[in-house]
Amino acid sequence: MKRKRDGLIQQFAKWIFACGIVAGVSAWTTGCSPSSSTSEEAATTPQQFVIARGQPRDRLRQIFARYRGSSYYQDTSEVVLRVVPLANASSELFSGGKQEQRAPFRVRWTGRQLDVQAYAVRLRANSTPQSNQVELNAWFDEPETRHFDSQMLVDVWQKPENQRLNLDRVLADEVLRSKLSAGLAGPPPQLEWLFAGDPMSGIFEPTAKLKWLPDANFAGQKMRRIAAETEGKSYVFWIDPTVSVIRRVELPLPLIEGLDTKQSSLTLEFRRAEFAPQSGEEDSTRFDFQPPFTPQRVSRFVPVPPPPPSSILGRRLPNDAMRALHAGNKASELVLFRLSEAESESAAEPRWIAAAITQSRQSNLSHVRWVVATEDSGFRRELASAWSGAVTVLDAKSLDDVFGLLRLRPGSAAVIDADQTVLLTERQINASTVSNVVAALADDSAGVDVPKKILADYQQLNRAYEAELANALRQ
């Protein structure tokens, strides 16, 4: 079924994040040294960097020197995950067949100004030649958090004269770094190519193997390709031979049973990448950096608290609603999950539900009734068979009145006490939900007034946030 697909994509995303995309030392942790020579800074014309065949290790170093010495670079790119299962794959991860997910990002560097649009991150670092002062501004395009409560990071520092922008300094803020690393492919790798002192150093280790592959076409152009293998991981760089710009990178796939590794791929694709603006186009490539809100200028990003608890907490559900949920089988507590309607979202939710059940049992919370509702009749049959009575699977349409009372949208959850009191509602079904559901069940079993505790905890969290934000606000 198609709804299994998201679990696999999440596994890929987690693997990519853990591996940091690239072999070698990441630019986030190593620091960026100045250019090794003035010739690197001056070497900006395409004619100086025509890539001929030769030792692939030398050619790849030359390409990274091209990035490291550039005074202009801009691209339009995306990470693309394509999944193809083997014909006999039996894992539920692959029952959706071929799958694809994309995540776009852009980078622009003018020698003085760095612009980044990646996932929710909007970043600009601008240096002033006269004073060698760098000013950083960053914000998050996140409507669901009111754009991170309208916070805009503002940071100013002095850099040594004639030194290239230090990426570690740009990404010194922990929240900014985390947001930039949280997407499908982690931080845009071209930032490392542009600013790291020794980008992708792992592929240049003596044990690494590099070789030329036959030329191939990408976006209508013939590319030269260099394959690099290090520590059991393989990369393929597709290079425009006239200007030494990387147009595509094939990344290693994780080892997952049932994956057709010959047809599946994880790639970075640069639909537009160039070291000089085309004539008359420099203004058109500028990034629109103006945020759609009045910013709160902060010296550091302050994590925003979650939305306030639902006002339904502490209320008792009517008997009719409880009869529809219990179906004659009462228990101490009841946990209700309403699965998402979109297949790409509902795919991973049963895994989180199973995790919640497992953790509750490990905590000796055995008198709990678990109910899952979905409109998909085929999926209901699959889940009922897989869970063999441990979970009651119901038709979501039959619970419209219950969902209305609980204010539960698709992809959410609720915990209800034996006396029909609503203890907890969750807006999403994810890892955080698992922890919150198990904690609510444990507290209720121990005699804690769960709604009162949740409200008190939220008020304390909000007060702490407001105090921390006040300290971070720039005057």
Side-chain angles (χ1 to χ4, degrees):
M1 291 181 61
K2 292 182 180 179
R3 60 180 68 254
K4 303 293 195 307
R5 71 185 61 178
D6 196 60
L8 178 61
I9 288 175
Q10 286 190 356
Q11 285 202 21
F12 274 98
K14 291 177 182 177
W15 175 87
I16 299 166
F17 176 74
C19 294
I21 302 180
V22 293
V25 182
S26 170
W28 315 153
T29 57
T30 59
C32 301
S33 60
S35 300
S36 58
S37 68
T38 56
S39 63
E40 284 188 2
E41 292 291 343
T44 59
T45 60
Q47 291 78 8
Q48 291 176 282
F49 282 88
V50 175
I51 289 296
R53 293 192 183 276
Q55 290 296 324
R57 189 182 303 266
D58 296 338
R59 294 297 180 252
L60 204 52
R61 282 195 179 279
Q62 183 183 7
I63 290 163
F64 287 135
R66 173 73 164 124
Y67 281 82
R68 188 66 180 86
S70 65
S71 60
Y72 182 93
Y73 173 83
Q74 73 98 15
D75 66 36
T76 299
S77 51
E78 62 183 352
V79 57
V80 182
L81 168 64
R82 297 183 180 92
V83 173
V84 180
L86 292 169
N88 61 349
S90 58
S91 169
E92 64 174 0
L93 285 173
F94 299 99
S95 56
K98 296 181 180 180
Q99 304 159 23
E100 181 173 292
Q101 185 167 329
R102 295 172 179 265
F105 46 81
R106 296 176 62 198
V107 170
R108 183 173 184 265
W109 165 244
T110 67
R112 293 198 305 266
Q113 180 171 297
L114 171 66
D115 286 322
V116 179
Q117 291 183 357
Y119 319 119
V121 174
R122 302 294 180 264
L123 178 152
R124 171 166 291 169
N126 189 45
S127 60
T128 305
Q130 293 79 8
S131 63
N132 289 316
Q133 178 176 282
V134 180
E135 179 174 345
L136 168 70
N137 292 272
W139 56 276
F140 301 133
D141 187 10
E142 285 185 347
E144 65 275 15
T145 63
R146 305 181 312 280
H147 303 289
F148 217 67
D149 201 18
S150 301
Q151 294 180 45
M152 175 182 279
L153 176 66
V154 179
D155 195 6
V156 179
W157 67 91
Q158 296 291 126
K159 72 178 183 68
E161 188 175 359
N162 298 324
Q163 181 171 320
R164 200 168 178 83
L165 193 66
N166 187 315
L167 194 60
D168 282 342
R169 185 66 182 82
V170 171
L171 300 179
D173 184 86
E174 182 178 352
V175 175
L176 174 61
R177 197 167 57 249
S178 175
K179 291 279 188 180
L180 197 61
S181 302
L184 181 62
Q190 59 270 53
L191 294 179
E192 180 177 355
W193 303 341
L194 287 165
F195 300 107
D198 190 12
M200 298 192 72
S201 58
I203 64 175
F204 299 107
E205 294 291 334
T207 56
K209 299 178 180 178
L210 285 80
K211 65 179 180 180
W212 289 102
L213 297 180
D215 293 350
N217 288 330
F218 175 73
Q221 293 179 273
K222 182 172 288 188
M223 302 291 156
R224 292 196 172 153
R225 300 189 298 160
I226 295 177
E229 183 175 341
T230 178
E231 297 181 351
K233 296 182 176 65
S234 298
Y235 305 80
V236 179
F237 297 88
W238 296 51
I239 304 151
D240 184 330
T242 62
V243 291
S244 299
V245 69
I246 296 173
R247 295 292 305 278
R248 192 170 192 256
V249 184
E250 297 175 28
L251 300 172
L253 288 167
L255 298 176
I256 297 180
E257 184 178 357
L259 179 68
D260 187 339
T261 56
K262 293 183 179 180
Q263 297 190 64
S264 301
S265 62
L266 180 62
T267 58
L268 297 166
E269 300 184 357
F270 301 90
R271 293 293 169 179
R272 179 174 182 175
E274 53 201 19
F275 287 114
Q278 297 183 14
S279 178
E281 287 195 5
E282 184 167 0
D283 289 341
S284 67
T285 62
R286 293 185 182 276
F287 284 31
D288 182 7
F289 189 73
Q290 186 65 33
F293 54 83
T294 301
Q296 298 193 86
R297 295 162 63 88
V298 295
S299 58
R300 55 185 171 82
F301 280 121
V302 180
V304 298
S310 172
S311 61
I312 196 70
L313 298 191
R315 296 187 186 181
R316 296 187 64 186
L317 291 181
N319 292 333
D320 290 346
M322 295 308 299
R323 278 195 292 270
L325 290 171
H326 278 306
N329 184 3
K330 294 187 177 181
S332 296
E333 297 97 2
L334 183 145
V335 183
L336 170 63
F337 294 94
R338 183 182 185 184
L339 299 188
S340 299
E341 294 174 350
E343 294 179 352
S344 60
E345 297 175 3
S346 64
E349 291 170 347
R351 304 175 192 280
W352 297 121
I353 296 169
I357 295 171
T358 300
Q359 290 187 27
S360 68
R361 289 175 176 173
Q362 292 172 345
S363 301
N364 295 319
L365 302 169
S366 56
H367 301 291
V368 181
R369 179 173 173 78
W370 302 87
V371 178
V372 172
T374 175
E375 293 183 356
D376 190 316
S377 58
F379 199 28
R380 285 200 302 274
R381 288 192 295 270
E382 277 196 33
L383 292 175
S385 174
W387 280 327
S388 303
V391 178
T392 300
V393 184
L394 300 177
D395 184 353
K397 295 178 181 178
S398 68
L399 298 177
D400 282 346
D401 292 343
V402 176
F403 294 147
L405 289 168
L406 291 170
R407 302 171 188 171
L408 284 190
R409 297 180 177 180
S412 56
V415 179
I416 305 165
D417 197 0
D419 67 357
Q420 303 177 190
T421 299
V422 181
L423 303 181
L424 172 73
T425 61
E426 289 285 312
R427 292 175 172 83
Q428 291 182 304
I429 302 174
N430 52 28
S432 177
T433 300
V434 173
S435 300
N436 293 340
V437 165
V438 174
L441 292 172
D443 284 345
D444 186 58
S445 179
V448 175
D449 186 333
V450 176
K452 183 178 180 180
K453 179 183 178 183
I454 289 175
L455 182 58
D457 289 347
Y458 179 78
Q459 291 172 340
Q460 182 179 356
L461 183 66
N462 216 40
R463 287 193 296 269
Y465 167 72
E466 291 174 353
E468 192 172 353
L469 179 62
N471 291 331
L473 284 172
R474 284 188 171 272
Q475 302 301 321

